[in-house]
Amino acid sequence: MQSGSEQSGQPERAYSGQPEHAYPDHWEADVVLRDGGTARIRPITADDAGRLVSFYEQVSDESKYYRFFAPYPRLSAKDVHRFTHHDFVDRVGLAATVGGEFIATVRYDRINDQGRPASAPADEAEVAFLVQDAHQGRGVASALLEHIAAVARERGIRRFAAEVLPANSKMIKVFTDAGYTQKRSFEDGAVRLNLDLEPTDRSLAVQRAREQRAEARSVQRLLAPGSVAVIGVGRAPGGVGRTVLRNLLDAGYTGRVHAVNAALGEGPHELEGVPAVRSVAAIGAPVDLAVVAVPAERVPEAVAACGEHGVRGLVVLSAGYAESGPEGRERQRALVRQARSYGMRVIGPNAFGIINTAESVRLNASLAPQMPAAGRIGLFTQSGAIGIALLAGLHRRGAGLSSFLSAGNRADVSGNDLLQHWYDDPATDVVLLYLESIGNPRKFTRLARRTAAVKPVVVVKGARHSGSAPPGHRVPVTRIPHATVSALLRQAGVIRVDTVTELVDAGLLLAEQPLPAGPRVAILGNSESLGLLAYDACLTEGLRPLRPRDLTTGATPADFRAALTAALASDACDAVVVTAIPWVGENGATESGDGEVLAAALRSAVAAAPGPAKPVVVVHVEMGALAEALSEATRTAPARRTAPAPAPGAPAPATAPATPPVPPGSVAPGAAPQDTAPQDTAPQDTAPQDTAPPDTPEPGVIPAYPAAERAVRALAESVRYAQWRRQAADPGRVPEFDRIDEAGAAALVERALGGPDPDPRGVTLDADTTRALLGHYGIEVLPTLPAPGPDEAVRAAARLGYPVALKTTAPHLRHRPDLGGVRLDLATEEQLRTAYAELAETLGKPEELQPVVQAMVPRGVDTVVRSAIDPAVGAVLSFGLAGAASELLGDTSHRLVPATDRDAAELVRSIRTAPLLFGWRGSAPVDTPALEELLLRVSRLVDDHPEVVAVSLEPVVVAPRGLSVLGATVRLAPPPPRTDLGPRSLPVYEGPS
């Protein structure tokens, strides 16, 4: 796969004469390729001459012909010099490497309008690729194009030109599929392509679709290996390596297993009945996954052996890395660099392991002593201890897993990678994540939103209040409060819970019950008190409970069945809570077998329910048999939710996990036949369209809870998520407004920052410049005139027109009307002078108070609108009522920028004090459409100009008609880098924290 325009016999292009710049190490990146392997992309330097010659010798004659348009069997010394000496501005070369050797190259040369070598301000360059034949079809050229395009934009190049032979269809496809605006012509027997390098919506969509396919495939290779080697298996029972080997065998792993122990002598050996060798190199067959359980100082040797043998992925259980201090952090960096240099991905270090319950795989490469039951839940944890607790909790409740991964320090594979995999995994219906840190919050939010549109994503965040990431985790530092992060996650459709117990509660309900159509809840049971507790819990969670139906303590299972049947058939409710306590028979003794009988009655009612399915939960008190009977149904039930088809733009797994067979007689009543896992589908570069909650008519499996509050809380999360799913089908739009001068604002921002070399510390704009910048976006700020003395105040009032307001602007009095620093409705000069004297007498000298005069505006509700750029999550738009509501009580809503019209409406309505805007206690409703427009204009300003790092409009007085912005501050600074908009690359988590 090659392109080129340097033809044999043509004169060699002259060297540009530009001095060489410093080596741009920020261009280095690790990328995941189409098949799930990794490669490193880096600039080519003069030290690469030998690698380039070796690389070229392994390229076929046909590929060389496509590159140079003529037979070109070998590179001359001049060629090697030209292709390895670059100035990193006008002439740039990048190489993709695996194991330190080149597998592909790309270069550009800046040219002028005549196609001759040039320097800036020329903004066009010729680009040419060469990919080793053995690595064609892995997506290497597409990845290189993304990176060389980003480099070119950084160096002021806006267009690429490429000449490709018509027969070189693969290379033509790389260009045409990239999504850039392009032109094509046919000249002198070659196809000439011109690409505009400005990113487009399509190029970004293509890039993200390729990223999803590649990262999902890389996880699938870890989850479904054909063979596993355990490195560090002791000869005596016990120890980490021996335990993992035993767990692999006990789980019934379907692939080949090898044991590695460097202390073994010569000759054949066996450990736990499997072949054992001294090193990976001695294994006479391919190895897909290696589990490393040796001391940290011996890991590099093991990784090198795995890389040389062609191992695809590593699970590093060894400790002693970043969690242990600076030396360990450096060891962790080296581990990831070494593994990626061989194209391997790493789970860990300090990991607990990985599990895949698919019948065709049955992989338990972890320290979990028991293989979980197969089910529809995907589970990711960063903590091994929490992983143990969650596995045990899910097992007790009868919930099965599709896959599990505990990543430890997650130096490489992270929750983002698992989201990419589970997004279109047909074996997973619900995603549960325990996170202690989020390495790339912007990407996580993007992936979570996309995944949540097709299946629930439930997250519990540990280390929320410690102020730092856990040892071993390299993450960007966020400056926004935890509550804001939670609000932004909920905006992305994430179900945010606080404890691992709530994680299990919500996951069990979402995996086993349909999504509710609304918040109306029917409550029925044989305990009036328990019913009232459930009723109160529903009100607390914002649900709409119906009056509880008391079946009395004498109710039989038949009574429960009849009542539940009636509730499920009723149009008055969307979900049902069943409460149960042990009932007493005619002889005064508790009925024997009451739990099993009641469970059967409830499942029978669900199975016979007509119409759309409704979620049912059971609250029980001292009825362990009931919970056990219901959990047994869970363990043996087939898939309840039809898994969404693989999303366009993301492939199905190479080995689709199969739903486990269901023993005869254990299928819950009404259950449908077992689904067949879908086959691979051709990838497409579009996103799934159907985001409405799926109908789930599968009945019979009912989750049970020991407390009404826990059941209702899980049900409330399901209700809120279902509502988000319905709204996600129409996420809103970013409207266009008049009176927006983007170019004028850009010029003002550049001037204010000091031109092309801005002060990295930034600058806070003065009042006039602030008003001018906001004016470019149709945001008018009421003029404020200084009043250092009473005479100046009178002249200011005459200029503005009476009535006026007199305010102090001293920092300790600003936005604090409760301290008496504001006088309103001053209609005459006499009133103004009196007010001025009172302020000076009670609060201090005018030079301390810094008084100002402002015209009066129509009365309304004081609000505050803010936007700030957080280094971790990006630009955030916030809204609240001014004063104590937002500052003291934290009653503020948040949305990510750019905000849509739906986001703006939700911002206004989601604060607890929102009734004050809509006519609370007979007051006049304010002009919320004008307020929403203001929010959208601020969002547009910040989105268009990332240099605007902070905006505060306070107060914004919203009247029944219109609004007035009385105060504004704007801060500018060079924008932080956008890691989510650059070319695809793997994150680096393993650096010092």
Side-chain angles (χ1 to χ4, degrees), residues 108-241:
Y108 78 65
D109 292 85
R110 195 190 300 257
I111 58 175
N112 58 20
D113 294 341
Q114 289 76 43
R116 305 299 301 171
S119 299
D123 61 358
E124 185 174 356
E126 282 188 338
V127 64
F129 293 78
L130 184 59
V131 181
Q132 218 172 71
D133 295 66
H135 294 276
Q136 293 181 17
R138 300 184 66 199
V140 184
S142 298
L144 281 173
L145 177 57
E146 290 179 20
H147 283 261
I148 197 73
V151 168
R153 289 193 296 268
E154 180 182 327
R155 296 311 196 196
I157 292 172
R158 298 291 174 260
R159 294 181 304 281
F160 272 165
E163 292 182 358
V164 187
L165 289 175
N168 193 358
S169 57
K170 291 182 180 179
M171 196 66 235
I172 293 174
K173 184 174 175 59
V174 168
F175 287 117
T176 57
D177 287 354
Y180 295 114
T181 303
Q182 57 187 270
K183 296 178 181 177
R184 187 194 303 202
S185 59
F186 189 77
E187 303 174 11
D188 300 327
V191 177
R192 184 170 180 84
L193 297 163
N194 293 89
L195 276 71
D196 186 337
L197 299 183
E198 184 66 26
T200 65
D201 289 343
R202 182 168 181 267
S203 69
L204 189 59
V206 168
Q207 177 179 315
R208 288 178 173 172
R210 287 171 173 168
E211 173 191 65
Q212 192 276 328
R213 288 195 295 268
E215 293 181 1
R217 178 60 183 156
S218 73
V219 172
Q220 179 63 19
R221 296 203 321 178
L222 296 168
L223 282 170
S227 57
V228 176
V230 182
I231 303 174
V233 179
R235 283 175 287 190
V240 174

Side-chain angles (χ1 to χ4, degrees), residues 640-802:
R640 290 181 40 79
R641 192 188 307 268
T642 302
T655 307
T659 303
V662 180
S666 62
V667 177
Q674 179 176 317
D675 291 335
T676 301
Q679 302 300 313
D680 286 358
T681 57
Q684 304 172 37
D685 289 328
T686 56
Q689 300 298 315
D690 182 13
T691 58
D695 289 332
T696 312
E698 198 82 37
V701 180
I702 306 172
Y705 301 85
E709 295 78 10
R710 287 174 56 181
V712 171
R713 190 175 298 120
L715 181 59
E717 294 294 357
S718 181
V719 169
R720 286 188 282 266
Y721 169 68
Q723 181 182 12
W724 181 89
R725 281 276 290 270
R726 289 187 289 269
Q727 293 174 346
D730 179 20
R733 61 185 183 89
V734 178
E736 292 292 333
F737 294 113
D738 56 5
R739 297 188 300 131
I740 287 183
D741 180 8
E742 186 175 345
L748 187 154
V749 167
E750 184 176 2
R751 290 195 304 271
L753 278 175
D757 263 339
D759 185 343
R761 296 170 298 179
V763 59
T764 299
L765 301 183
D766 59 44
D768 290 339
T769 309
T770 295
R771 194 159 37 247
L773 176 61
L774 295 173
H776 283 302
Y777 276 75
I779 302 170
E780 297 179 2
V781 182
L782 203 66
T784 301
L785 300 181
D791 293 336
E792 289 87 348
V794 170
R795 285 195 292 272
R799 180 177 169 186
L800 295 173
Y802 289 98

